[in-house]
Amino acid sequence: MEILIPAERIQSRVAEMATDIARVYNGKPVTVVGILTGCLMFTADLIRRIDLPLRVGFLTASSYRGPTTVASKLIIRDDLLPDISGRHILLLDDILDTGKTLTRVVAHLIDRGAEAVKVAVLLRKIGRQEVPFEPDFVGFTIPDQFVVGYGLDFNDEYRHLPDIAVLQASEPR
Ligand code: XMP
């Protein structure tokens, strides 16, 4: 597989993001909410570098099944989430693609009583967005290619790779 972003670059960019995030929140307590499962490594690496009073929770939002699947109904499960009412939420996702997932999850968190929601994504794909959505923090902007590794999967494989790689159409799927 072609490596798009090597592990060392991911680590240094995540460290920069953590510094930006701490500066923006300026000592205010934050509840980090990761969208499983893709956010796994991003969340683990980022929170260890954020110098703020911090709580962590996770939710799942599923609809995406592969490169050709059209996201339709999004099922959000938040039973693992701590109480978020009145909290400042930093929502983490692995990749911003069409923007539908994050738009809906942000609305869901506000519905659940969050005071405010900011969003950090590790990756943002160029030319794919279908709904207007501006994340507050972006790690890398990438071309419109299907990527795996560092938490990102294809059929639940490749998540454990330390780099982010492009899954070629000819690759065994
Ligand atoms: P939307 O379209 O709602 O989708 O912004 C975001 C979710 O789609 C998945 N996604 C990918 N997963 N490689 C992946 O492993 C990719 O290139 C890719 N593009 C989108 C991902 O779950 C993300 O949270």
Side-chain angles (χ1 to χ4, degrees):
M1 268 189 273
E2 178 207 336
I3 292 179
L4 187 66
I5 312 173
E8 310 75 55
R9 263 189 79 208
I10 300 173
Q11 293 303 324
S12 60
R13 183 67 189 125
V14 168
E16 287 172 3
M17 293 178 82
T19 305
D20 289 348
I21 288 164
R23 192 175 49 237
V24 167
Y25 280 96
N26 194 22
K28 204 160 42 187
V30 62
T31 301
V32 171
V33 175
I35 304 178
L36 291 171
T37 305
C39 75
L40 189 65
M41 296 198 198
F42 179 39
T43 306
D45 287 341
L46 188 73
I47 60 174
R48 280 180 287 179
R49 294 174 178 275
I50 295 180
D51 186 15
L52 289 171
L54 189 148
R55 305 188 315 157
V56 192
F58 293 97
L59 53 76
T60 64
S62 41
S63 69
Y64 203 94
R65 289 284 170 267
T68 56
T69 308
V70 177
S72 52
K73 188 170 164 22
L74 190 75
I75 299 155
I76 298 172
R77 291 197 55 185
D78 64 2
D79 28 314
L80 298 175
L81 214 55
D83 181 21
I84 58 162
S85 55
R87 299 280 179 170
H88 288 263
I89 307 295
L90 176 66
L91 180 63
L92 305 185
D93 203 4
D94 50 2
I95 185 164
L96 173 63
D97 189 16
T98 65
K100 290 178 180 172
T101 304
L102 280 166
T103 304
R104 291 185 214 175
V105 174
V106 169
H108 181 84
L109 295 174
I110 296 288
D111 266 8
R112 289 275 317 265
E115 172 73 24
V117 181
K118 291 191 190 296
V119 174
V121 294
L122 180 67
L123 306 175
R124 179 182 203 167
K125 267 190 202 178
I126 294 172
R128 289 274 307 168
Q129 219 168 311
E130 292 177 19
V131 292
F133 183 88
E134 258 329 291
D136 300 275
F137 307 94
V138 177
F140 301 93
T141 300
I142 63 164
D144 181 11
Q145 290 174 307
F146 198 82
V147 289
V148 295
Y150 196 71
L152 291 143
D153 74 306
F154 180 75
N155 281 348
D156 279 320
E157 287 189 64
Y158 309 114
R159 288 194 200 276
H160 63 296
L161 304 177
D163 311 297
I164 292 172
V166 176
L167 189 72
Q168 312 290 351
S170 57
E171 225 89 49
R173 290 181 172 177

